Amino acid sequence: MFSKELISKFEGTPTPFYYYDMALLRRTLDSLQTAADKYGYKIHYAVKANANPEILKTIASYGFGADCVSGNEVLMAVECGFPSDKIVFAGVGKSDKEINDALANDIFCFNCESVQEIQVINQLAAQNGKIAKIALRLNPGIDAHTNKCINTGLEDSKFGINFNLLEEVVKEIVVLNNIKLVGLHYHIGSQITDLEPYRLLCNRSNEMQQKLQLLGLNLPEINLGGGLGIDYDDPDANPIPNFETLLDTIHENLDVKKGQRVHFEFGRAVVAQCGTMIARVLYTKKASKTTFAIVDAGFNDLIRPALYGAHHRIENLSSTSDQEGIYDVVGPICESTDVFEQAYKMPVTQRGDLLAFRSAGAYGEIMASRYNLRNLAKSYFFD
Ligand code: LLP
């Protein structure tokens, strides 16, 4: 994937940095658009995965909506060209200021996670002379079979409203004058590589629709959230996630009434593969059982391995050795969890080598911090 010509362009650029393949991003967006258009599904890009303005502007240019989880994400999405009336706003803890910012921008819908939150939105909407459109984020009680840190649809997770409480909550909120209930929202987790949880989600959605009908409600919006996983092991073999198979599965399993719209909020699947973190090897050193390759990027630059035990494929872009070595690839941060990989096979690696940490476009740059007072990595865009 990295040609000699491209690698030569990296020389002289201070490391670590994020490299984005914008042609791949566009091919991914084309593929998503084709898959969604087949059924008229509405796509909202989950801004949390990567809020770099260049990336946001490119995604917005396709006419997609945005899924935001903070007031600042709403403001940034608007600034980067997402139409306000295609913005959804989720989150268990929306502050009054964030709600007011979203109201001021007339967003499409608040995805609400508690009755109290809905009461506050109602009150703030009344103060602003507005009617806020809301969807209930239901916790469907489904195991997404993914890393436990990013499994969000289990009954006791902090997200959403327990699906068993649907009727009770609806009765409590329909009396409020400054909100309009327009739909149901779900999000069962992230990096989901198995279609079964999505089938279960469709069943749950169908069941919830029936309950609503018994209450005399036919809500126009169904939002199934995001979560589609990507291939971290072999990004070159699978650079574009299979949106089509997922959306075909949804189409086969989801009851959609006339006039209803189906929404999705993909983050990782859109941006993960187009991003790579490039770092340089500072030192190598031997210990009794291992050899360390110490790189100039730490978990402040890419936190997924330290936080979730996630794996990013690492490629040595400059080694010319035909011998292999086994390395613990670690960062410079003064914490023992600053480890990218242990016992990792790479061509013999030495000081000065450039390493590519693949599939880092989602939840990479955006989760960076200045821990240890390190600089934030810059980003570069190539076509
Ligand atoms: N919608 C909602 C309400 C969400 O909470 C999320 C992600 C998404 C959509 C987008 O999910 P995606 O399509 O990207 O899977 N930092 C973690 C992932 C956290 C996901 C949080 N919510 C990681 O690096 O794996």
Side-chain angles (χ1 to χ4, degrees):
M1 144 133 188
F2 293 93
S3 64
K4 284 215 170 80
E5 193 199 343
L6 181 58
I7 296 167
S8 70
K9 286 188 185 158
F10 293 162
E11 290 301 336
T13 307
T15 49
F17 64 88
Y18 275 88
Y19 152 85
Y20 294 103
D21 177 345
M22 298 306 273
L24 176 57
L25 175 61
R26 280 195 290 274
R27 280 195 286 130
T28 307
L29 293 167
D30 289 339
S31 159
L32 174 56
Q33 194 159 51
T34 306
D37 284 354
K38 187 166 161 192
Y39 303 115
Y41 291 162
K42 308 287 174 205
I43 305 297
H44 306 262
Y45 166 64
V47 173
K48 66 181 79 65
N50 188 319
N52 189 306
E54 287 299 315
I55 303 274
L56 291 183
K57 284 179 201 158
T58 303
I59 299 172
S61 74
Y62 277 70
F64 293 131
D67 158 44
C68 301
V69 286
S70 73
N72 285 346
E73 281 192 2
V74 171
L75 299 178
M76 183 66 136
V78 172
E79 206 177 302
C80 289
F82 288 93
S84 303
D85 61 4
K86 288 187 181 174
I87 292 180
V88 293
F89 181 14
V92 287
K94 302 177 185 77
S95 72
D96 293 20
K97 178 181 183 311
E98 291 177 312
I99 294 169
N100 278 328
D101 284 346
L103 285 169
N105 279 286
D106 293 317
I107 63 162
F108 170 59
C109 187
F110 290 84
N111 291 332
C112 297
E113 313 215 9
S114 68
V115 172
Q116 253 181 27
E117 177 198 327
I118 297 169
Q119 288 163 341
V120 170
I121 294 175
N122 181 62
Q123 193 188 354
L124 296 174
Q127 280 166 18
N128 287 283
K130 304 217 168 181
I131 308 275
K133 283 195 275 179
I134 68 154
L136 291 180
R137 175 171 180 177
L138 291 185
N139 184 333
I142 290 172
D143 185 349
H145 300 300
T146 180
N147 184 319
K148 70 174 181 355
C149 307
I150 50 178
N151 201 357
T152 49
L154 294 170
E155 275 201 50
D156 276 322
S157 92
K158 71 172 180 179
F159 302 100
I161 296 167
N162 189 299
F163 68 93
N164 290 308
L165 301 176
L166 176 67
E167 290 107 320
E168 197 178 304
V169 169
V170 168
K171 284 180 190 152
E172 211 172 331
I173 62 166
V174 285
V175 296
L176 302 172
N177 290 327
N178 289 78
I179 54 125
K180 182 166 192 254
L181 178 61
V182 295
L184 296 183
H185 170 242
Y186 310 85
H187 173 72
I188 53 173
S190 200
Q191 184 53 16
I192 303 170
T193 49
D194 173 4
L195 291 175
E196 190 52 22
Y198 282 107
R199 285 191 200 99
L200 295 175
L201 177 60
C202 291
N203 295 345
R204 184 69 81 212
S205 166
N206 300 344
E207 189 191 322
M208 295 298 112
Q209 290 241 76
Q210 284 174 1
K211 291 200 173 181
L212 287 177
Q213 272 181 332
L214 291 176
L215 295 174
L217 286 173
N218 192 3
L219 303 181
E221 319 294 342
I222 304 175
N223 184 336
L224 298 181
L228 178 62
I230 61 130
D231 189 345
Y232 280 98
D233 297 329
D234 197 350
D236 288 333
N238 294 302
I240 301 177
N242 197 337
F243 295 109
E244 192 180 0
T245 304
L246 172 62
L247 298 191
D248 286 349
T249 304
I250 300 290
H251 180 72
E252 280 157 27
N253 291 278
L254 188 72
D255 285 349
V256 181
K257 307 263 179 283
K258 199 160 173 261
Q260 274 188 324
R261 284 178 293 261
V262 181
H263 304 253
F264 294 90
E265 307 167 339
F266 297 119
R268 186 191 315 267
V270 178
V271 290
Q273 299 293 32
C274 75
T276 304
M277 183 182 73
I278 306 286
R280 205 175 276 283
V281 177
L282 291 172
Y283 307 107
T284 59
K285 73 172 175 185
K286 281 196 164 39
S288 57
K289 294 199 191 79
T290 188
T291 301
F292 291 104
I294 302 160
V295 300
D296 62 2
F299 74 51
N300 73 299
D301 300 296
L302 177 62
I303 202 173
R304 302 191 68 258
L307 194 58
Y308 313 115
H311 295 278
H312 287 261
R313 193 183 153 86
I314 305 174
E315 289 163 14
N316 188 325
L317 301 181
S318 36
S319 175
T320 48
S321 171
D322 51 12
Q323 307 281 307
E324 281 200 323
I326 309 257
Y327 299 92
D328 280 12
V329 182
V330 302
I333 291 179
C334 301
E335 296 222 22
S336 12
T337 54
D338 192 22
V339 173
F340 291 108
E341 284 292 346
Q342 284 181 306
Y344 198 73
K345 221 185 251 180
M346 287 195 296
V348 168
T349 293
Q350 55 192 8
R351 174 171 164 82
D353 281 355
L354 276 185
L355 301 189
F357 294 71
R358 303 289 306 276
S359 316
Y363 309 109
E365 189 184 0
I366 192 66
M367 291 181 79
S369 76
R370 290 214 52 212
Y371 187 42
N372 284 194
L373 220 50
R374 289 167 51 79
N375 292 327
L376 289 177
K378 291 201 167 122
S379 45
Y380 298 90
F381 305 87
F382 290 79
D383 259 304

